[in-house]
Amino acid sequence: MSTTVVPDDRARYRDNPSVLSVLKSPRLLTREALAGLVVGLALIPEAISFSIIAGVDPKVGLFSSFIMAVTIAFVGGRPAMISAATGAVALVIAPVAREYGMDYFIATVMLAGVFQILLAVLGVAKLMRFIPRSVMVGFVNALAILIFSAQLPHLVDVPWLVYPLVTGGILIMVFMPRLTKVIPAPLVSIILVTAVVVVFALNVPTVGDEGELPRSLPELFIPNVPLTWETFTLIAPFALAMALVGLMESLMTAKLVDEITDTHSRKTREAWGQGVANVLSGLFGGMGGCAMIGQTMINVKASGARTRISTFLAGVFLLILVVALGDFVAIIPMAALVAVMVMVSVGTFDWHSIRPSTLRRMPKSETFVMLATVVVVVLTHNLAIGVVVGVFVASVLFVRRVAHVVTVTRTAGPDAAHYVVDGELFFASSNDLTTQFEYAEDPDRVVIDLSRSHVWDASTVAALDTIETKYAQHGKSVEFEGMNEATGRFHGRLTGGFPPA
């Protein structure tokens, strides 16, 4: 007698360790608190940099990172994952701030959150499985290129001292991890480069030149935009692009954390949690965001955090540091942040994907899909369009490849002709199926064996009907045999319902 074990979904998705068990353990609580502090420190320079990419004041990115982190700690589906202001989102919605102003910018962020909630309800998280790896690689590489290109304005027509400062900052981030990984290398780089500028009174652009830093807690912000269809059509394309990019990056990061921690996460909950966080971020004047791969790796891999406590404390520490150290943040040279973003772009790019050995080993179609994704993203500056095009190209190449794996083998005798169809039958492969038979030469009885194939769509049923009709026109009969149960039901329901070809 056999027994079937049904997995308990509650146990499968239960937080391990739980928040309550961490609160009862001083050792685990200390680990989560230190992880949150390190992430909070590391978030400051990136939040400021992403604000500048989006074309808004640094406080917008800082407040957004605080609200996103604190909110997702409660409503997210992946414990210990960090969500904050990101370069991907900043790049997508930057044109709104530049062309239409801050009110439309915030309205776009809030609408993106609403779109994410709707997409979560529609089950979009389950569609992530259909995004090929080649598209993922192209997405990451394109993101790296866009982040790097966004730094170029800060490297052109600037004092010459900016260049050695950027170089020094990059060198610190390269060699610092070899000495210690306790403190994030980007933070050390910013502190040292800032110290050099202050000590030697160097005249270079600073963060304070970009906009006023916050000196108080975030306040409620209701965007002053007309609630009309014209406003919706104006911001909806940017909001939908932000929603898709944010969900893709967040769900990809959640999957990565699942693999690192050997645990499961609720992807649908994470999707609508991102939407809630973006709506709240917009309500308090934030630029929204999504999961951050780099900061999440600091939290989970480098610091060993495993619960929502670390995510919550990362946001809290970020706010405390910004409000208490606002004057210090204002004197940070832009060169330090440019160095950080250059390293972020270098670290984001998948260098393995362009190695000669990889390109020789990888199928040309996979490489073409990756390159197509990168080219479209770079040309459009829209990650969502690039991913959609990449998935479309991958689908076309896959269908083209599968369409040619169907074979038809003929064995003819004096009384009957026997055909064996081998392969998956759908619209692409069945279009040529009707040309594989000898209608005039075959004897009066024809047997078509479908035991090695499966009928997937109406196009194939129509093709089989056409074959039967062509033989009937020659006064010959056709017998289909070997259909599996699903194919038999499908064929029986649709056969005879198509007009003659």
Side-chain angles (χ1 to χ4, degrees):
M1 178 178 179
S2 61
T3 58
T4 302
V5 179
V6 179
D8 184 353
D9 282 345
R10 289 178 297 179
R12 178 185 175 89
Y13 295 108
R14 185 177 296 126
D15 293 357
N16 185 27
S18 66
V19 171
L20 186 59
S21 64
V22 170
L23 292 175
K24 292 179 179 179
S25 170
R27 180 181 63 83
L28 294 178
L29 183 58
T30 301
R31 182 191 69 184
E32 298 292 315
L34 290 177
L37 176 60
V38 172
V39 172
L41 289 168
L43 277 172
I44 294 175
E46 295 197 3
I48 296 173
S49 299
F50 293 141
S51 299
I52 295 168
I53 290 176
V56 296
D57 285 348
K59 67 179 180 181
V60 176
L62 292 167
F63 283 162
S64 183
S65 296
F66 158 67
I67 294 168
M68 291 287 297
V70 170
T71 303
I72 211 69
F74 290 96
V75 301
R78 174 63 260 179
M81 190 168 76
I82 304 298
S83 291
T86 61
V89 167
L91 287 165
V92 170
I93 59 175
V96 181
R98 184 172 60 250
E99 298 175 17
Y100 304 108
M102 192 63 185
D103 287 292
Y104 282 89
F105 180 84
I106 297 301
T108 302
V109 172
M110 296 173 65
L111 181 59
V114 173
F115 280 155
Q116 287 179 326
I117 295 173
L118 293 176
L119 289 170
V121 173
L122 295 174
V124 72
K126 298 176 182 178
L127 298 179
M128 283 297 294
R129 71 186 71 175
F130 298 111
I131 297 181
R133 182 186 178 278
S134 53
V135 176
M136 295 276 198
V137 173
F139 171 87
V140 170
N141 290 348
L143 174 60
I145 293 172
L146 292 182
I147 291 175
F148 179 81
S149 63
Q151 309 313 307
L152 297 180
H154 301 291
L155 295 171
V156 177
D157 195 22
V158 294
W160 69 270
L161 288 170
V162 168
Y163 303 112
L165 290 172
V166 171
T167 303
I170 291 174
L171 291 175
I172 291 171
M173 285 181 280
V174 170
F175 293 104
M176 179 69 186
R178 301 182 183 183
L179 301 176
T180 179
K181 294 184 179 179
V182 175
I183 303 176
L187 186 66
V188 175
S189 174
I190 288 173
I191 292 174
L192 293 180
V193 173
T194 302
V196 170
V197 171
V198 172
V199 170
F200 294 98
L202 302 180
N203 185 20
V204 294
T206 64
V207 171
D209 298 331
E210 302 293 326
E212 184 180 358
L213 292 176
R215 295 182 178 275
S216 60
L217 298 175
E219 299 177 352
L220 194 65
F221 185 101
I222 305 298
N224 183 22
V225 297
L227 300 178
T228 62
W229 178 251
E230 183 181 359
T231 301
F232 177 80
T233 57
L234 183 70
I235 65 176
F238 298 99
L240 182 59
M242 174 182 168
L244 293 173
V245 168
L247 285 180
M248 283 187 285
E249 192 158 329
S250 298
L251 295 174
M252 285 191 294
T253 305
K255 183 178 179 181
L256 180 61
V257 177
D258 288 352
E259 295 173 356
I260 292 173
T261 60
D262 289 327
T263 57
H264 300 278
S265 59
R266 296 179 176 91
K267 302 298 190 300
T268 298
R269 175 175 171 177
E270 182 62 39
W272 67 256
Q274 290 288 330
V276 172
N278 275 308
V279 171
L280 290 177
S281 173
L283 281 174
F284 286 91
M287 60 181 282
C290 62
M292 300 185 72
I293 297 177
Q295 308 310 89
T296 298
M297 292 302 100
I298 292 175
N299 195 46
V300 175
K301 245 185 167 180
S303 304
R306 290 293 182 271
T307 72
R308 303 173 187 273
I309 294 175
S310 60
T311 306
F312 173 78
L313 291 179
V316 173
F317 283 134
L318 169 64
L319 185 65
I320 294 173
L321 290 166
V322 169
V323 173
L325 302 175
D327 292 335
F328 170 76
V329 173
I331 64 174
I332 295 176
M334 285 301 302
L337 299 181
V338 170
V340 170
M341 298 313 300
V342 168
M343 288 300 294
V344 168
S345 66
V346 171
T348 300
F349 197 91
D350 186 351
W351 298 99
H352 179 269
S353 66
I354 60 172
R355 288 178 184 173
S357 58
T358 303
L359 295 176
R360 285 194 300 268
R361 187 173 64 254
M362 194 69 64
K364 289 182 174 58
S365 60
E366 299 284 324
T367 302
F368 180 77
V369 170
M370 185 267 286
L371 291 175
T373 304
V374 172
V375 169
V376 172
V377 170
V378 172
L379 290 179
T380 64
H381 281 236
N382 191 313
L383 290 158
I385 293 177
V387 169
V388 171
V389 171
V391 171
F392 175 76
V393 172
S395 301
V396 171
L397 292 177
F398 173 76
V399 168
R400 181 174 178 271
R401 187 165 60 248
V402 172
H404 295 291
V405 300
V406 174
T407 60
V408 178
T409 306
R410 176 178 180 265
T411 304
D415 300 322
H418 191 271
Y419 288 87
V420 177
V421 181
D422 193 340
E424 302 299 314
L425 298 175
F426 62 110
F427 63 93
S429 60
S430 62
N431 281 337
D432 295 331
L433 188 63
T434 57
T435 65
Q436 305 297 313
F437 296 85
E438 303 292 340
Y439 300 103
E441 288 77 9
D442 282 340
D444 292 342
R445 180 171 175 265
V446 178
V447 178
I448 300 176
D449 185 355
L450 297 173
S451 60
R452 296 182 182 178
S453 59
H454 186 97
V455 174
W456 288 102
D457 59 7
S459 296
T460 304
V461 177
L464 295 177
D465 283 0
T466 299
I467 293 170
E468 197 169 5
T469 300
K470 284 180 176 292
Y471 274 115
Q473 290 171 351
H474 287 80
K476 302 170 184 179
S477 63
V478 176
E479 299 175 19
F480 294 107
E481 67 176 22
M483 290 186 182
N484 58 43
E485 184 178 353
T487 294
R489 287 199 306 269
F490 191 73
H491 179 265
R493 188 169 71 249
L494 296 181
T495 185
F498 304 95

